[in-house]
Amino acid sequence: MQVITLLNEKGGVGKTTLAVHIAAGLALKGNRVVIIDADPQGHATMAVNATDRGALYDLIHPKRNASWDSVLEGVSPSIYTPEGTGTTGQLFIVPGNIETRNIATSIDDVTLLKRRLLELESVVDYVVIDTSPTPSLFHSSIYIATDYILMPTELEAFSVLGGVKDTASRANAVRSMGQQQGLEISNVIGIIPNKFRSNTLTHDQVLEHLQVEYGDLVWEPIKLRIVYAEAALMGQLIYAFAPEHRATKDMYKLVDRVLARINLKA
């Protein structure tokens, strides 16, 4: 089982969109995948039409200690599977809501999430975690539970100079602290420029800055396309909504790159 976290301490960069599409793309490739909605806004929960409830809080809170059977919710294949096709994979979600914000003040063991996830090791191939842009003590638990960090960013000055820089710095600090305690903590394996407009000078310049600053960590940009919003209005992901669209093909390429980097690191 591999745990992939979408992380950026800057809102509005498209973490949820990428998280649910990466998770669904992995499921379409025949894997058993769990999305964990760790953002109190619950947008990943909404994106896959899951029940608005504090399932993640129930799982992590020591006094609730909910079972996986009670918190996992199956995602309907019709949301992400192209019409007329099927998949041997399965997609589940641990829904979240406003209660998620209370996790940071309810736990004192930063390894708790990791230990709960290890309970799935024999039955799940991938876990994809969508996170809040607001850093908290719970983020440390997520770092410790994570094998691979992906960092989406918009190609705007505040996103790159603030979100990317601050998140990378915090990831490195938590990694160093964890290593001192004998914990293996992931580093960032990819920075994903999101909502890219290739005909915009600012985006071209910021992309170039990213590439100079972070080199091969910067992945191919994901273009800004209205089809994501159109699919969301219909309660679907783009794989089901527009299977032949260029955006869908780009998303499949992104999933392939995630798998390639994981296999390279393995």
Side-chain angles (χ1 to χ4, degrees), residues 17-22 25 29 194 222 228 238-239 245-257:
T17 297
L18 292 180
V20 296
H21 280 89
I22 289 171
K29 289 180 177 292
N194 199 22
I222 302 295
Y228 293 102
I238 60 172
Y239 303 115
H245 197 284
R246 181 64 200 175
T248 306
K249 296 175 182 177
D250 288 344
M251 195 56 65
Y252 278 122
K253 285 175 61 179
L254 176 61
V255 173
D256 287 339
R257 183 156 191 179

Side-chain angles (χ1 to χ4, degrees), residues 96-116:
N97 65 5
I98 196 67
E99 281 190 290
T100 304
R101 68 169 55 171
N102 297 324
I103 293 176
T105 58
S106 302
I107 60 173
D108 55 14
D109 179 359
V110 293
T111 68
L112 181 57
L113 177 61
K114 182 178 181 68
R115 289 191 284 108
R116 291 306 316 256

Side-chain angles (χ1 to χ4, degrees), residues 206-223:
V206 174
L207 177 60
E208 183 179 357
H209 169 82
L210 269 179
Q211 292 167 335
V212 170
E213 185 77 14
Y214 298 101
D216 291 341
L217 271 181
V218 181
W219 289 12
E220 185 176 347
I222 302 295
K223 290 187 177 181

Side-chain angles (χ1 to χ4, degrees), residues 117-132:
L117 289 179
L118 286 174
E119 296 169 13
L120 297 176
E121 194 163 27
S122 62
V123 293
V124 169
D125 299 302
Y126 296 97
V127 174
V128 178
I129 304 178
D130 183 33
T131 59
S132 165

